Amino acid sequence: TKKILISEGLSEKDASYIVDQIGGVPWIIEEIIESEDPIAEVERLYRDIFGMMNNLLGELYEIDMKDEALRVMKKVLDGKVEISGKDRKMVKELSEREVLFYDPVNNEVRFQTRLHERAARELLGVE
């Protein structure tokens, strides 16, 4: 990803920052490359994702599922989510809303992107 960004004219410093923030998510890389200000684009995308996740928590609050969503996101951040019992329903919900990525073959759950993880950390108030 870093090599692609540098080949598109970004500095080593900017390419490193972008990779640290987003990893190698193709659709995000494409948006960044096409933007006039790649660093500002990373922050714009983050604000969009943060807003989407905050709105989702508001929707889940309305149906008494916000605390469950926050609990599962915290477990994902801690690497302790279990795809069984009461976590399963919320993992499915957050996966359908494209907050989490669930790989059933490897029984792995993670955030869709590093920006989603960053937003979850901010929403939960954790480092």
Side-chain angles (χ1 to χ4, degrees):
T1 300
K2 189 174 176 180
K3 287 179 183 180
I4 292 169
L5 293 169
I6 291 171
S7 74
E8 292 290 330
L10 275 75
S11 70
E12 174 95 17
K13 179 183 174 187
D14 287 351
S16 292
Y17 172 78
I18 291 166
V19 170
D20 287 344
Q21 292 297 307
I22 66 157
V25 180
W27 69 267
I28 296 178
I29 297 296
E30 183 177 343
E31 287 198 27
I32 288 169
I33 289 171
E34 292 175 356
S35 71
E36 290 184 26
D37 184 346
I39 301 301
E41 185 66 11
V42 169
E43 294 309 309
R44 185 196 66 77
L45 289 166
Y46 171 71
R47 285 189 309 274
D48 287 353
I49 288 169
F50 180 87
M52 177 274 299
M53 288 176 64
N54 196 38
N55 288 340
L56 170 60
L57 290 173
E59 290 174 29
L60 293 173
Y61 175 80
E62 295 294 321
I63 56 174
D64 294 326
M65 293 176 69
K66 179 181 177 181
D67 290 341
E68 182 71 11
L70 291 171
R71 186 185 66 74
V72 168
M73 286 193 292
K74 175 75 168 99
K75 287 178 82 172
V76 172
L77 288 173
D78 292 342
K80 297 178 182 173
V81 71
E82 297 173 22
I83 310 306
S84 61
K86 62 184 183 177
D87 289 350
R88 174 173 281 154
K89 181 178 178 184
M90 187 50 64
V91 167
K92 181 179 181 203
E93 178 74 24
L94 293 174
S95 294
E96 288 174 356
R97 304 283 192 116
E98 298 186 357
V99 171
L100 296 179
F101 171 79
Y102 171 50
D103 176 358
V105 173
N106 296 310
N107 203 32
E108 176 186 7
V109 178
R110 64 180 186 272
F111 286 94
Q112 281 285 339
T113 69
R114 289 183 185 169
L115 295 176
H116 287 83
E117 181 178 337
R118 180 178 157 198
R121 289 183 184 284
E122 186 173 341
L123 288 164
L124 289 162
V126 297
E127 288 294 317

